[in-house]
Amino acid sequence: GYDFVAQGMGGFMSITGEAGGGPLRAGVAISDLFTGTYAAISILAALRHAERTGEGQQIDISLLDTTIAMMANQGSSYLVGGQVPGRLGNRHPTVVPYTTFAVADGVLIIAVGNDLQFRAFCAEMGVPELAEDPRFALARDRLINRDAIEAIVADLVRDHPRDALIARLEAAGVPVGPVNTLADVFADPVVAARGTLHRFVREDGVEIPSVAYPGKLSRTPAQFDRPPPRVGEHSRELLAEWLGLDEAEFTALAESGAVKS
């Protein structure tokens, strides 16, 4: 199976992209990644079953099934309401204002998730009366009047420097954040403090950067014992273990260029 095909078959690409635009796949292979994650969860569940009963079992998991499962609220909305969702760009299907907005020096995300956060946003931006406007006071009203409130928010934030506005809204309890490049991500002090970047140091002193396992387990934290292998680094031991090749046979293969050593 191919991730790209699964994203299309599973409906993901039908809701991804700008309104009125064509279908888009995600920037990384999310169907592959989610299928691996669901497979790992299924294996853990099967292991618990085996521990209790002594019985093993077969696990059948597909890219298509996983892509459909991760449609989450969009899939449920269709099953319950019968309405086929379309593309909304960065907008949320039911939560408003919840999208990207242009500011003086870039773009930021404002993700107002409830009425309390909306009131906090309005107060911080100096327009507390906006939260009392019957068009916008409640979440359902903002959804109905999405275009109007998003236009107002866009005007309110347009001339503000991004980082300063993020700091203000964070302090007010409004969910907000930047749209980072990967260079921004790996330069972020929060990312550094979280230990997200791990550097392997090879025996020759070369550092190999990698992304650390994201789960922080209190009793059994992830261990990073071996760096990614160099090309052919384990060929000799693997072929000896798996195929029973002796030294002469391996040398002949290496000399012919069939394997790297």
Side-chain angles (χ1 to χ4, degrees):
Y2 283 83
D3 171 271
F4 194 1
V5 177
Q7 288 192 38
M9 289 181 67
F12 179 84
M13 291 173 61
S14 74
I15 64 165
T16 303
E18 294 297 333
L24 286 176
R25 69 176 181 87
V28 295
I30 57 167
S31 292
D32 281 349
L33 294 169
F34 266 85
T35 301
T37 301
Y38 273 100
I41 294 168
S42 301
I43 290 167
L44 293 174
L47 286 171
R48 291 305 303 269
H49 173 78
E51 289 171 354
R52 294 172 179 172
T53 67
E55 297 176 346
Q57 60 186 295
Q58 180 182 1
I59 297 171
D60 177 352
I61 186 165
S62 77
L63 293 171
L64 178 59
D65 293 348
T66 300
T67 304
I68 295 169
M70 72 183 189
M71 294 297 288
N73 58 307
Q74 295 279 37
S76 295
S77 294
Y78 169 73
L79 291 174
V80 172
Q83 297 297 311
V84 178
R87 299 180 188 90
L88 291 172
N90 291 321
R91 289 169 150 183
H92 192 283
T94 57
V95 183
V96 181
Y98 197 103
T99 187
T100 50
F101 292 93
V103 291
D105 54 351
V107 176
L108 55 69
I109 298 164
I110 296 176
V112 171
N114 55 50
D115 296 336
L116 180 63
Q117 292 170 359
F118 182 67
R119 289 195 292 273
F121 171 81
C122 295
E124 182 58 36
M125 299 307 297
V127 286
E129 67 278 5
L130 190 62
E132 306 304 323
D133 188 316
R135 297 175 298 165
F136 312 131
L138 300 177
R140 65 173 181 268
D141 303 319
R142 294 192 296 278
L143 179 60
I144 294 169
N145 298 287
R146 181 198 293 270
D147 290 341
I149 188 56
E150 287 182 350
I152 291 171
V153 172
D155 286 338
L156 288 172
V157 303
R158 190 184 315 279
D159 297 327
H160 292 269
R162 188 193 75 169
D163 291 348
L165 183 57
I166 287 175
R168 285 175 51 196
L169 293 178
E170 282 182 342
V174 178
V176 62
V179 180
N180 284 332
T181 66
L182 283 178
D184 297 327
V185 170
F186 290 115
D188 191 327
V190 174
V191 173
R194 292 284 299 167
T196 304
L197 179 61
H198 176 76
R199 294 185 183 275
F200 289 99
V201 181
R202 287 196 324 219
E203 66 279 359
D204 59 3
V206 173
E207 287 191 352
I208 303 174
S210 65
V211 177
Y213 180 71
K216 311 295 195 275
L217 283 72
S218 63
R219 302 296 290 271
T220 56
Q223 300 294 309
F224 305 98
D225 299 326
R226 301 179 70 175
R230 286 168 284 189
V231 175
E233 181 176 348
H234 301 134
S235 296
R236 189 180 306 271
E237 61 187 278
L238 290 177
L239 292 175
E241 179 182 342
W242 291 358
L243 300 182
L245 265 62
D246 60 27
E247 186 64 26
E249 291 171 315
F250 181 83
T251 299
L253 287 172
E255 289 176 350
S256 72
V259 298
K260 293 288 187 180
S261 62

